[in-house]
């Protein structure tokens, strides 16, 4: 995602940067297809530093961990980073301690690749247990039927053996 700061004459400024096709296809092994990735940024300039804050919007295909069906996962996550030259960063970093993420341009070319910053946001957005919906019923543990689409005839009643003795109190005719 090449970001060209030469397009902006006055600051603060707003920018929208879209990913090119297939730029983020391999950002996580669970993601099967990336549909769109866009960064909306507010840029503020201070001397030779450009402070970028905004959001990353993305839509990608991922497999539901319950029913194993593909679904589109939409994200909107915050991002912030600083763009400057490496020489300027070395000069100012001696005087201060900060925990900012930096993106460097070379020389006076104000073009930078912000793909690594966006990729970090995307990787952190992948759910540990992706669900197509909160109501997803998943698969039958016996026959594998997708319970979101149809019912199965399997007997899925699980009886906890710790409660068997209480059942005998309710039904005295049950043999011991």
């Amino acid at each position: 995602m090449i970001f060209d700061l030469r397009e902006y004459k006055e600051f603060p400024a707003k920018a929208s940067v879209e990913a090119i096709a297939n730029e983020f296809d391999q950002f996580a092994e669970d993601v099967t297809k990336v549909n769109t990735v866009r960064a909306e940024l507010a840029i503020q300039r201070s001397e030779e530093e450009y402070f970028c804050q905004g959001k990353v919007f993305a839509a990608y295909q991922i497999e539901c961990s319950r029913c194993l069906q593909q679904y589109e996962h939409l994200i909107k996550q915050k991002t912030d980073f600083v763009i400057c030259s490496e020489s300027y960063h070395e000069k100012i970093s001696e005087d201060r301690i900060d925990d900012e993420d930096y993106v460097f341009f070379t020389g006076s070319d104000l073009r930078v690749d912000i793909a690594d910053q966006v990729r970090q946001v995307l990787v952190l957005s992948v759910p540990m247990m992706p669900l197509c919906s909160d109501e997803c019923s998943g698969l039958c543990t016996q026959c594998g039927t997708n319970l979101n689409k149809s019912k199965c005839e399997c007997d899925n009643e699980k009886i906890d053996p710790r409660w068997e003795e209480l059942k005998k109190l309710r039904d005295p005719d049950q043999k011991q």
Side-chain angles (χ1 to χ4, degrees):
M1 289 181 82
I2 301 299
F3 183 44
D4 192 350
L5 288 165
R6 295 176 298 183
E7 296 176 17
Y8 306 97
K9 303 293 182 221
E10 294 182 18
F11 293 93
K14 295 206 179 286
S16 180
V17 184
E18 292 202 24
I20 58 174
N22 304 323
E23 189 171 3
F24 291 101
D25 279 354
Q26 300 299 316
F27 78 86
E29 72 178 45
D30 295 341
V31 174
T32 56
K33 181 182 177 197
V34 179
N35 298 332
T36 60
V37 177
R38 186 178 81 249
E40 298 282 337
L41 301 171
I43 311 153
Q44 183 64 45
R45 181 178 178 186
S46 175
E47 295 182 19
E48 294 182 41
E49 292 182 302
Y50 298 86
F51 296 90
C52 301
Q53 292 182 321
K55 292 191 169 127
V56 173
F57 299 88
Y60 53 81
Q61 298 289 320
I62 193 166
E63 186 177 88
C64 177
S65 60
R66 285 186 191 160
C67 67
L68 306 181
Q69 296 296 307
Q70 294 288 318
Y71 74 96
E72 185 174 64
H73 185 71
L74 303 173
I75 66 147
K76 179 172 76 170
Q77 298 289 325
K78 292 181 182 180
T79 185
D80 66 277
F81 52 91
V82 180
I83 299 173
C84 68
S85 68
E86 245 180 299
S87 60
Y88 183 77
H89 180 259
E90 288 173 8
K91 183 173 86 175
I92 63 167
S93 64
E94 295 172 0
D95 300 337
R96 64 181 179 187
I97 299 172
D98 64 28
D99 59 351
E100 295 289 334
D101 287 333
Y102 284 88
V103 180
F104 302 113
F105 56 83
T106 54
S108 61
D109 185 19
L110 295 175
R111 292 170 36 101
V112 294
D113 188 359
I114 62 169
D116 285 340
Q117 279 61 40
V118 173
R119 183 173 283 108
Q120 289 173 19
V121 171
L122 293 174
V123 168
L124 293 174
S125 76
V126 176
M128 291 173 64
M129 189 171 153
L131 296 176
C132 59
S133 75
D134 290 337
E135 295 79 33
C136 180
S137 299
L139 302 175
C140 173
T141 57
Q142 294 178 349
C143 69
T145 299
N146 185 339
L147 299 174
N148 296 317
K149 296 181 179 179
S150 62
K151 302 268 185 215
C152 66
E153 302 300 320
C154 298
D155 181 21
N156 287 325
E157 184 181 340
K158 293 180 182 175
I159 300 173
D160 189 337
R162 297 175 293 179
W163 298 105
E164 282 300 311
E165 292 301 317
L166 289 175
K167 233 173 145 180
K168 291 177 187 174
L169 291 174
R170 187 177 62 187
D171 187 9
D173 296 333
Q174 190 176 24
K175 294 183 179 180
Q176 294 184 5

